[in-house]
């Protein structure tokens, strides 16, 4: 079976729409359909998709259970279990452990990004997005932007619990540390978004992500001093990006100092977005075919 397309210069086929009467040519339709999406429209569409993610949170508040209870559980448990052994008492351990818990909680919460992305793909939601005249990256970026609210909730709860236990962070440094963590968590979530596009099951996404997260968070300076570790492990901990972020948050919260750890953390976040965002979009497009 073949289909013949008529143009404005050829005779009109029986039953075909008269392009001369309608004033719309095939070439005009094709040029409009293939037009690229501008940066401003891409940003606007990404925030629209982010608003969709916020509506999902409102209708499914159980998605906030991990960022609500995990900071409380980890902060109380780790502080009272390790405080006396590492720093002598709980009060002296709080400036060490709270920044570590803060980073660990937010980074672990970013795993949910890939899991939910895979679940949406399994349900066919993204099939609808692919048919819309929107930027390819906007459904992905929107999902990640919505998760920033989850990271903010986890950060605020961790600070509230720490302050209730006697921690007194620098006010400006605390605000700066939250902003730094949100930026870095957004960057890290692109890694798990890529996993969500590549792995076929949401349960597999969560399992693989945890295998990546646990070595990075526990083999860091988040909970114990680095000099108590074996030499080979110290070498890894010192270059671990989680250690850089924890050190940056400690400097900001405890003294309000903006040092090189902050610079390295922001640089690492920029590199992650530059590398994994294009890979994620490419995997998403390949999944659409």
């Amino acid at each position: 079976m073949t289909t013949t397309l008529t143009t404005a210069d050829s005779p009109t086929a029986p039953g075909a729409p008269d392009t001369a009467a309608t004033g719309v040519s095939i070439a005009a339709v094709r040029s409009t359909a293939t037009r690229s999406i501008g940066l401003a429209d891409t940003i606007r569409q990404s925030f629209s998709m982010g608003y969709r993610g916020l509506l999902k949170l409102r209708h499914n508040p159980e998605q906030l259970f991990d960022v609500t209870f995990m900071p409380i559980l980890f902060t109380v448990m780790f502080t009272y279990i390790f405080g006396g052994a590492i720093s002598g008492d709980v009060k002296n351990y709080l400036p060490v452990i709270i920044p570590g818990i803060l980073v660990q909680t937010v980074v672990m919460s970013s795993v949910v990004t890939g899991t939910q992305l895979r679940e949406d793909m399994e349900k066919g939601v993204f099939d609808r997005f692919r048919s819309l005249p929107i930027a390819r990256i906007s459904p992905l970026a929107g999902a990640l932007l919505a998760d920033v609210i989850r990271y903010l909730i986890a950060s605020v709860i961790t600070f509230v619990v720490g302050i209730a236990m006697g921690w007194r962070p620098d006010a400006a440094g605390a605000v700066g540390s939250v902003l730094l963590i949100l930026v870095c968590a957004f960057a890290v979530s692109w890694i798990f978004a890529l996993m969500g596009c590549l792995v076929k099951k949401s349960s597999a996404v969560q399992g693989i992500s945890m295998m990546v997260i646990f070595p990075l968070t526990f083999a860091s300076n988040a909970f114990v001093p680095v000099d108590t570790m074996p030499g080979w492990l110290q070498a890894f901990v010192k270059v671990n990006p989680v250690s850089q972020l924890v050190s940056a948050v400690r400097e900001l919260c405890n003294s309000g100092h903006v040092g090189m750890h902050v610079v390295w953390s922001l640089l690492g976040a920029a590199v992650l977005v530059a590398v994994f965002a294009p890979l994620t979009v490419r995997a998403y497009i390949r999944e659409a075919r």
Side-chain angles (χ1 to χ4, degrees):
M1 177 179 178
T2 60
T3 302
T4 304
L5 297 177
T6 61
T7 63
D9 297 331
S10 63
T12 304
D18 188 356
T19 56
T22 59
V24 179
S25 65
I26 295 175
V29 172
R30 286 178 175 172
S31 64
T32 302
T34 58
R35 184 182 60 188
S36 61
I37 305 296
L39 178 60
D41 287 335
T42 300
I43 295 174
R44 178 178 56 82
Q45 293 162 6
S46 298
F47 277 99
S48 296
M49 289 295 176
Y51 178 69
R52 168 188 173 269
L54 295 181
L55 291 178
K56 289 176 59 180
L57 290 177
R58 190 181 71 177
H59 293 293
N60 299 283
E62 63 271 12
Q63 295 181 9
L64 298 176
F65 283 176
D66 59 336
V67 296
T68 303
F69 294 106
M70 189 165 62
I72 300 174
L73 178 63
F74 280 0
T75 302
V76 174
M77 183 176 65
F78 281 35
T79 301
Y80 286 107
I81 291 176
F82 299 129
I86 295 176
S87 298
D89 55 42
V90 170
K91 183 178 180 180
N92 291 327
Y93 190 49
L94 287 174
V96 177
I97 189 61
I98 298 299
I101 293 292
L102 188 62
V103 172
Q104 183 207 38
T105 301
V106 173
V107 171
M108 292 185 68
S109 299
S110 64
V111 174
V112 180
T113 299
T115 304
Q116 292 181 348
L117 185 63
R118 184 69 255 173
E119 290 176 350
D120 280 346
M121 289 183 175
E122 291 174 354
K123 295 175 182 177
V125 176
F126 275 75
D127 293 334
R128 172 58 178 163
F129 294 157
R130 296 184 191 110
S131 67
L132 298 177
I134 59 177
R136 297 281 190 174
I137 198 174
S138 59
L140 301 172
L144 272 61
L145 287 171
D147 282 337
V148 171
I149 302 299
R150 299 176 67 256
Y151 310 148
L152 179 61
I153 293 173
S155 301
V156 171
I157 291 177
T158 304
F159 271 103
V160 170
V161 174
I163 292 173
M165 296 175 67
W167 184 47
R168 295 297 179 264
D170 180 83
V175 174
S177 65
V178 171
L179 295 177
L180 176 63
I181 288 176
L182 294 183
V183 171
C184 293
F186 176 78
V188 171
S189 61
W190 280 105
I191 301 176
F192 304 114
L194 177 60
M195 292 185 183
C197 292
L198 296 177
V199 181
K200 298 303 181 182
K201 294 293 183 180
S202 57
S203 58
V205 174
Q206 186 173 9
I208 296 173
S209 301
M210 286 301 178
M211 290 177 60
V212 175
I213 286 295
F214 272 101
L216 289 176
T217 53
F218 285 96
S220 69
N221 62 351
F223 307 110
V224 299
V226 179
D227 55 12
T228 62
M229 303 178 184
W232 61 269
L233 186 56
Q234 290 186 32
F236 171 77
V237 171
K238 291 177 181 178
V239 298
N240 186 347
V242 173
S243 296
Q244 298 293 329
L245 182 57
V246 171
S247 298
V249 173
R250 280 180 182 149
E251 289 181 351
L252 288 169
C253 291
N254 297 328
S255 63
H257 175 65
V258 180
M260 283 302 300
H261 293 297
V262 175
V263 177
W264 284 117
S265 298
L266 291 175
L267 181 61
V271 171
L272 287 178
V273 174
V275 172
F276 285 96
L279 291 176
T280 304
V281 174
R282 184 177 302 177
Y284 167 66
I285 296 173
R286 186 169 60 247
E287 177 80 7
R289 295 173 181 173

